[in-house]
Amino acid sequence: MAPPNSALVTTEKTNNDFTLLQVHDSESQMFAEEKQKAASPKQYRWFLLLKLQKVLTFLSWLTTGFKSTFASVKKRISLSDTSDEDPKYRGRLYRIIKVFLGLSIGALVIETIAHFNKWNLSNMMIQPFEVQGLLQWSYMAWLSFREDYVAPFVLLVSKFCIVLFLIQSLDRLVLCLGCFWIKFKKLKPTIEADAYDVEDPSSFPMVLVQIPMCNEREVYAQSIGAASQLDWPKDRILIQVLDDSDDKSLQNLIKDEVCSWKEKGVNIIYRHRLIRTGYKAGNLKSAMSCDYVKDYEFVAIFDADFQPNPDFLKLTVPHFKGKPDVGLVQARWSYVNKDENLLTRLQNINLCFHFEVEQQVNGYFLNFFGFNGTAGVWRIKALEESGGWLERTTVEDMDIAVRAHLNGWKFIYLNDVRVLCELPEAYEAYKKQQHRWHSGPMQLFRLCLPAIITSKISTWKKANMIFLFFLLRKLVLPFYSFTLFCVILPFTMFIPESELPLWVICYVPIVMSFLNILPSPKSIPFLVPYLLFENTMSVTKFNAMVSGLFQLGSAYEWVVTKKTGRSSESDLLALAERESKSSNEDKIIRWNSESGLELLGKLKEAEMPQKKKKRNKLYRKELALAFLLLTASARSLLSEHGLHFYFLLFQGLSFLVMGLDLIGEQVS
């Protein structure tokens, strides 16, 4: 043992003839060891304190988040307006959902008791003398009844819905392949070279432009302005502003706007009906009955929020030249507010697929598709020979398209010609729009089925119209979406014998959603929200489909979709410059875009009357389904289903967000 304050020197000879000297100071070594022992507990305590601080910070953030969320939800519920959610919107479907919710909650309570008591009766045989208590006997009896009677029925219905799901998915895949073929071959409609002599205005056909509107205070000026600037010989065009507004002050504003453009040399007239029947169809029918319409060959239709480019007519009307069997040329929609909020982003995905894939494929390969009601040009002869505008449904555009197709007229779709319009920014407006869009086709199907069967078109065209156009895309899609994913799937959590496979609830829907997003590749990050959103909207579409099919009261309602009057920056600046030239007010010039937009916004706000603030709604069907799905997800958690649990959880939360009206424009 070395004495204190001494150093131990050792030598070691290596293979390279070098000698290594190591000095071992016992006192310094002991000091280092004692320092390390003293520092370790201190560092460990600091480490624990830092970890504890992070945990407390996270818990504080989580608590604050939950508190603010529950506070906002509580405030939303207390301030929400349910006046529009009357029985005609809820009806029997809401009562049925409530019954299912009650059954699922009761089943969850029983399953929870069975889980904690470890009554794994489905995997082992229990003798009667082993049953302990009435509750266990009741649970055992339920398992036997479920296996013998309930599971086979649920399994049968789920298989039927899965078959419909696969057929509809196959249809969507075929449409995508058709679109890919069009893109790959660069196929598009063509026109004759020099269809009209630019130097001879008399060679241009007579075109009637119609702008039907009803209480469109926010958008009337921009739609009239856009139509008045269409590049077409002034003596070969007439613009009809078809105003169905019931507000006298608004009528005067629209009249003044029409007069201002008339003073600038635009051939434009204002029409107002005294008897406002038939909604948009009645408005268009009344306008077509004017004597001067017989002088015109084509009619272009624009809804009040649509803003065609000046060259719209020169890009569409020439497609009629040399094609006497073409009755309609349809342009594509483009949106000024597609990035405004999550709701508009998800709508953009749906509509991009509709125009890029459905309309383009059907237009090129079948020469038939549903008229979109606006941004299209009709041959007036085709309208007249097909019976004109009828007021029998809320989808007058689809009605005239079906009748024209049955009379042998062909349609052309132009994917490259786009017209600016506006998407609904509030969930209430979007919900009502979708109700009309999905109830109307079922009304029309009932009315048109005999005419389709007895028409002189080919058997293939009849089959396409009945089975693909109406049944598969208008009836089957909302039926299986709601039944399979919102009813059967949560029920299978309580009936394991009929559990849906993963490819039905996960893999195939994700693939189909990915195909839907392909026409708008910038929306790929919204793949999962889009899938959840579509399933959530299925309750509205299913309810609308049933009401239209069975002619229920809500099928005949027409609610004008709410507009905000948004425009692109270039449109706003152009309007600002026109106004600045006609008055000596503040100049708004093109290079000063930010101040120009701000000033124009203030001028518009000053002209707009102050309206009473609206409140957000509560949607009870969505809320009931949210709790149904969340109850099923809790049952799935007990069984450790994995993906089933996550799907039900997030789908339930999606319904909850919709039911509380927490998506889209917030108005309260």
Side-chain angles (χ1 to χ4, degrees), residues 349-360 370 372 413 519:
I349 294 173
N350 245 343
L351 290 169
C352 281
F353 182 85
H354 170 69
F355 285 106
E356 185 83 20
V357 180
E358 290 181 342
Q359 297 291 77
Q360 188 169 207
N372 294 116
Y413 174 72

Side-chain angles (χ1 to χ4, degrees), residues 98 363 446 518 532:
K98 287 200 299 183
R446 286 171 56 103
L518 280 181
L532 298 174

Side-chain angles (χ1 to χ4, degrees), residues 42-149:
K42 189 175 181 180
Q43 291 176 352
Y44 186 66
R45 282 196 301 271
W46 277 109
F47 175 77
L48 289 179
L49 287 174
L50 289 174
K51 287 291 183 182
L52 182 61
Q53 183 187 11
K54 290 182 179 179
V55 171
L56 291 176
T57 303
F58 174 75
L59 290 176
S60 175
W61 173 81
L62 198 61
T63 304
T64 304
F66 273 116
K67 186 177 179 180
S68 61
T69 301
F70 281 119
S72 62
V73 169
K74 183 180 178 181
K75 184 179 179 181
R76 172 57 51 82
I77 292 174
S78 62
L79 295 177
S80 292
D81 181 10
T82 58
S83 58
D84 286 351
E85 275 286 284
D86 52 49
K88 66 184 177 183
Y89 287 96
R90 300 193 303 268
R92 294 190 181 97
L93 180 61
Y94 175 61
R95 292 193 288 271
I96 292 172
I97 294 172
K98 287 200 299 183
V99 171
F100 285 162
L101 176 59
L103 292 174
S104 65
I105 292 175
L108 178 62
V109 171
I110 296 174
E111 293 285 352
T112 304
I113 295 173
H115 175 76
F116 286 105
N117 287 326
K118 299 181 179 179
W119 294 345
N120 193 13
L121 304 182
S122 59
N123 295 330
M124 63 180 180
M125 298 299 296
I126 300 296
Q127 300 299 326
F129 60 85
E130 295 178 340
V131 176
Q132 300 176 359
L134 180 62
L135 186 61
Q136 188 177 4
W137 180 87
S138 301
Y139 183 67
M140 183 178 176
W142 156 246
L143 290 181
S144 177
F145 178 79
R146 183 183 75 186
E147 184 177 357
D148 294 338
Y149 299 101

